[in-house]
Amino acid sequence: MGNDNSTEMTIHLKIWKQDGPGKKGEFISHEAKGLSSEMSFLEMLDVVNEDLVRLNQRPIEFDHDCREGICGTCSMVINGEAHGPDKEITTCQLHMRKFKDGDTITVEPFRAKAFPIIRDLVVDRSSFDRVIESGGYVSVNTGGAQDANSLPINKPDSDLAFEAATCIGCGACVASCKNASASLFVSAKLAHLSFLPQGKIEQDARTLAMVRQMDTEGFGACTNTEACEAACPKGISVENISRMNRQFLKASIKER
Ligand code: FES
C-alpha cells in the first residue's frame, strides 16, 4: 500500500456473468482479497479478473475507456444504483474507500430492452447512437468558423446549452428509470442544440425525429419519477424533459 491513508480490504462480490446475448446469466460469487481502499472500482475489477485468470476462469467483461468520467462507457449497476453509491460520478470515479472492509457488493449490467446484454457487464448502447443519427446535429451550412463573440448568445442560454452538453451518454438515466425511459438523454441532446442560434433552425424537425427514434428503439415513457436526474453522473436537470415535451407538442401541431 503506497498511500498512508490506504487500508487493506476484503470484499465479497456477487457479479453478473452471462456468456452472450440471449444466454442465461447468473450471479457468481468471488472473494476479492488484498484490495486497497484507494483503488478505483475498476482497478478492483482488474484485480478480480487477474484472480479469475489465475484460477483458470474466464475474466468478467466490462466496458471502460477514459477512466476519468468523460467517455461514459463504464456503465454498471452497483448495489442497485447506476454507477454506485456516490453522487454525480461515473463508475470509474468511484473508489473502494466508499465501502467497508468485509462488505458484500452486487455488480450487474444496465438493464433495459433497448440495451441488450452483449456479455457480463457489457451492454449494447447503439440505440443511443441511432437516436443521435436521427437528428442530433446541425446540418445547415453555417460557413467558416466565426470570430469569438461575433455571434451574440446570452449568458443564461449559453449556460443551459453547456450544462445539457455535459451529458456523456452513459445510459444511467435509462438504467435507473423503472420505465427504462431515455427522456433525460434525448432531452439533453436536444437542449444543447436548441439553446444556440445554429441549432434553433432545425429544432422542430430534430425534436420530432429524435423523440420518434427514441420510441422506435423501445425505450419506455417518462412518468416523472426523476430517478434519472438522481443517477446522472453529470447532474443533468429534468427541466430538459419538460422543454423537450413542449417542443415536441409545438412541432407536432405545426406538422399537421
Ligand atoms: S471509463 Fe470513461 S467515463 Fe468511466
Side-chain angles (χ1 to χ4, degrees), residues 35-74:
L35 303 172
S36 161
S37 58
E38 298 307 300
M39 281 178 176
S40 74
F41 198 83
L42 296 189
E43 285 169 339
M44 180 276 291
L45 288 180
D46 291 337
V47 170
V48 167
N49 276 344
E50 284 166 12
D51 286 350
L52 292 174
V53 169
R54 268 194 295 274
L55 293 166
N56 273 333
Q57 292 178 26
R58 178 173 73 70
I60 298 290
E61 293 200 15
F62 60 96
D63 262 336
H64 60 94
D65 189 0
C66 71
R67 294 201 179 205
E68 54 185 21
I70 297 170
C71 70
T73 57
C74 57

Side-chain angles (χ1 to χ4, degrees), residues 1 5 21 36 45 50 52 74 78 84 104 120 128 157 162 173 185 196 205 212 214 217 221 225 231 245 248 252:
M1 309 289 146
N5 295 324
S36 161
L45 288 180
E50 284 166 12
L52 292 174
C74 57
I78 301 159
T104 297
D120 303 334
F128 269 13
D157 281 356
F162 184 79
C173 48
F185 165 75
L196 302 176
R212 284 169 184 162
M214 170 175 75
E217 295 293 342
T225 66
N245 290 341
F248 184 78
S252 308

Side-chain angles (χ1 to χ4, degrees), residues 131-140 142 153 157-158 160-166 185-207 210 240 243 247:
V131 171
I132 296 294
E133 281 166 18
S134 72
Y137 47 80
V138 172
S139 65
V140 290
T142 56
I153 300 167
D157 281 356
S158 72
L160 288 168
F162 184 79
E163 280 164 26
T166 60
F185 165 75
V186 178
S187 66
K189 296 301 169 193
L190 285 166
H192 101 254
L193 294 172
S194 300
F195 277 114
L196 302 176
Q198 301 94 328
K200 270 204 179 20
I201 302 158
E202 296 167 296
Q203 175 177 293
D204 287 350
R206 178 186 309 117
T207 304
M210 289 177 72
N240 290 304
R243 285 188 199 103
Q247 278 173 8

